[in-house]
Amino acid sequence: MSRLHQSRIADFQEVLGEPTVALTKLRELCFSGIPFDGGLRCLCWKILLNYLPLEKALWSSLLKKQRDLYSQFLKEMIIQPGIAKANLGVSREDVTLEDHPLNPNPDSRWNTYFKDNEVLLQIDKDVRRLYPDMAFFQRPTDYPCLLILDPQNEFETLRRRVEQTTLKSQTVARNRSGVTNVSSPLKTTPSSLSDYEVLPNGCEAHWEVVERILFIYAKLNPGIAYVQGMNEIVGPLYYTFATDPNSEWKEHAEADTFFCFTNLMAEIRDNFIKSLDDSQCGITYKMEKVYSTLKEKDVELYLKLQEQNIKPQFFAFRWLTLLLSQEFLLPDVIRIWDSLFADDKRFDFLLLVCCAMLTLIRDQLLEGDFTLNMRLLQDYPISDVHLILKKAKELQDSK
């Protein structure tokens, strides 16, 4: 380990060792990248995403409270409906006429169950495809959810529920401006779901944990429910927490990810709500902002893109909505997120990162025609995120 690296770790430990964490100092340190060692990144992200308070003395009681709350969600939203479904086959008297599966009444529990299944099928399709170039999400977790996988239980897991649901999901059309359909060539997808080995009962893969987190989020936030692309936001968070070197924290990766994801979504959810697209908080406004910032920093490049009619929604939609999680390999996405989460103006820095990405390939863009330039922007050619972040920081300082 280099001297510099050791001194950076020491800087983090010093700030995190105080009874009250100095947030400004912590942000400054995190902005330049957080070491993975000793679970520092997981801890810093939890603070930056407002999951952990700055007073250290409150941590353990808060974590216990939130993790218990998450168990409660599991019981209410996954176990309860699962038991009802299991009982259905066993005893008929449980099913009153009012709550029969064919009852059209919108308040019927069954109606909710079938509606949920549509959302579940969409989530299932998306989480199985998370980072296909890495084995991690297909691997079994060391901490399967015992509450759910208890062999004594009769109820169905989400996996079984997906297998049993033959409803053809109508939700696929919800894909907006091609969040995922212009997937970058980097991300190859197995040709069919049968390419995945099914884990034996009692085990669950990491993608199944992510599926549960998204399903519960959708149930608790019916206003937005689940929109394609959320899987790409929860993936890097869960990966970071589930690979925490501190096993005491790692064991609770699912609950901790859920709350951090919920907090992060509270800040960026407007990007996912179609009806807000053109409002001040919506995604169109942010995309325009990328161009107006570019115009300030590099008017020649700005005019070239305008002249070729390359609109920001062709590429910046995905960059901004998914916080660049589809443009780079996972370790690089995580490094970018260190800086994004540390940004006290929240995602202003993301606009500068997008501008930096454009200016770093300006020569190619100035020479290229529409087709060539679109290809460059949809499959970004530079993989060195340190170079990109350095450039973004220069743009920030040159204001």
Side-chain angles (χ1 to χ4, degrees):
M1 196 190 296
S2 74
R3 255 235 181 77
L4 176 69
H5 189 67
Q6 272 173 319
S7 81
R8 276 189 57 77
I9 292 176
D11 291 344
F12 274 93
Q13 284 168 339
E14 188 183 336
V15 173
L16 294 166
E18 296 292 326
T20 301
V21 176
L23 187 58
T24 316
K25 241 192 215 159
L26 184 70
R27 283 191 192 284
E28 255 169 56
L29 281 175
C30 295
F31 188 79
S32 315
I34 310 169
F36 173 72
D37 314 68
L40 285 174
R41 176 175 279 128
C42 305
L43 182 53
C44 291
W45 278 18
K46 284 171 183 144
I47 296 169
L48 295 173
L49 292 171
N50 304 317
Y51 178 45
L52 286 178
L54 299 175
E55 293 75 33
K56 237 173 127 173
L58 303 174
W59 288 359
S60 58
S61 61
L62 176 117
L63 287 170
K64 183 177 179 344
K65 193 178 111 228
Q66 296 300 85
R67 289 161 179 175
D68 288 348
L69 177 61
Y70 187 73
S71 295
Q72 206 41 50
F73 293 155
L74 290 176
K75 286 179 188 143
E76 284 168 26
M77 288 168 231
I78 292 177
I79 293 179
Q80 251 39 67
I83 290 175
K85 190 86 196 291
N87 288 345
L88 191 65
V90 187
S91 62
R92 297 302 304 166
E93 60 269 21
D94 288 355
V95 186
T96 58
L97 205 56
E98 283 78 69
D99 210 16
H100 188 276
L102 298 177
N103 177 8
N105 173 6
D107 299 332
S108 151
R109 280 211 324 255
W110 284 106
N111 201 351
T112 315
Y113 182 86
F114 292 133
K115 261 214 183 66
D116 288 349
N117 280 356
E118 286 188 25
V119 175
L120 179 59
L121 286 182
Q122 181 63 57
I123 293 174
D124 188 72
K125 210 168 107 233
D126 294 344
V127 292
R128 286 171 186 263
R129 293 194 293 228
L130 265 178
Y131 290 95
D133 46 344
M134 290 174 56
F136 173 79
F137 286 96
Q138 307 306 324
R139 287 205 186 111
T141 162
D142 297 339
Y143 302 101
C145 181
L146 300 176
L147 205 61
I148 288 180
L149 295 180
D150 177 358
Q152 301 302 304
N153 286 335
E154 277 299 313
F155 64 82
E156 53 174 3
T157 57
L158 289 184
R159 190 201 308 179
R160 205 168 336 151
R161 189 165 161 176
V162 169
E163 285 162 7
Q164 289 170 356
T165 300
T166 48
L167 281 176
K168 289 286 166 278
S169 173
Q170 296 307 306
T171 46
V172 185
R174 267 184 151 156
N175 186 1
R176 189 160 54 107
S177 309
V179 180
T180 41
N181 60 7
V182 245
S183 168
S184 57
L186 247 166
K187 306 198 176 273
T188 46
T189 319
S191 52
S192 75
L193 295 182
S194 59
D195 292 1
Y196 294 119
E197 62 180 298
V198 176
L199 295 173
N201 281 342
C203 291
E204 54 180 357
H206 288 293
W207 66 262
E208 295 185 71
V209 181
V210 175
E211 175 165 81
R212 229 180 357 250
I213 292 169
L214 287 167
F215 182 69
I216 289 178
Y217 178 82
K219 290 280 289 170
L220 288 172
N221 296 275
I224 181 171
Y226 171 75
V227 182
Q228 230 174 348
M230 286 181 184
N231 53 316
E232 305 288 351
I233 299 284
V234 80
L237 283 176
Y238 174 73
Y239 174 81
T240 301
F241 294 164
T243 53
D244 192 330
N246 176 345
S247 58
E248 203 179 320
W249 289 77
K250 186 175 171 177
E251 186 178 342
H252 297 286
E254 180 176 349
D256 293 349
T257 301
F258 173 80
F259 290 107
C260 287
F261 171 68
T262 301
N263 290 357
L264 179 54
M265 281 305 297
E267 298 189 39
I268 63 170
R269 61 181 283 171
D270 295 349
N271 296 344
F272 286 91
I273 300 176
K274 194 168 172 34
S275 58
L276 290 177
D277 277 3
D278 298 322
S279 71
Q280 277 257 308
C281 53
I283 188 72
T284 310
Y285 177 74
K286 293 184 184 116
M287 291 191 292
E288 295 302 337
K289 199 114 194 271
V290 171
Y291 267 23
S292 58
T293 312
L294 180 67
K295 189 178 178 179
E296 263 169 55
K297 307 286 183 191
D298 189 338
V299 71
E300 189 189 354
L301 180 56
Y302 166 78
L303 291 171
K304 173 75 177 183
L305 295 175
Q306 287 289 50
E307 174 202 320
Q308 291 190 347
N309 203 12
I310 292 180
K311 298 190 183 340
Q313 47 269 44
F314 297 160
F315 60 94
F317 179 84
R318 192 176 73 195
W319 290 8
L320 294 168
T321 312
L322 304 182
L323 306 181
L324 295 169
S325 62
Q326 282 214 310
E327 311 316 309
F328 302 100
L329 295 170
L330 187 58
D332 296 326
V333 171
I334 288 170
R335 169 61 194 92
I336 292 172
W337 284 17
D338 287 345
S339 296
L340 294 184
F341 296 165
D343 172 20
D344 60 343
K345 295 201 179 51
R346 270 341 212 187
F347 296 101
D348 278 11
F349 188 66
L350 177 59
L351 298 172
L352 292 169
V353 175
C354 294
C355 271
M357 288 168 68
L358 294 171
T359 52
L360 284 170
I361 55 169
R362 75 184 300 269
D363 296 350
Q364 289 155 279
L365 290 170
L366 290 173
E367 280 169 26
D369 59 8
F370 176 86
T371 317
L372 208 68
N373 287 345
M374 281 299 293
R375 195 174 303 146
L376 279 173
L377 293 168
Q378 294 201 337
D379 186 20
Y380 190 74
I382 297 177
S383 57
D384 180 356
V385 294
H386 297 281
L387 181 68
I388 294 166
L389 291 168
K390 190 169 156 240
K391 183 70 182 165
K393 182 83 180 93
E394 280 167 22
L395 294 175
Q396 189 180 47
D397 296 342
S398 69
K399 277 195 166 162

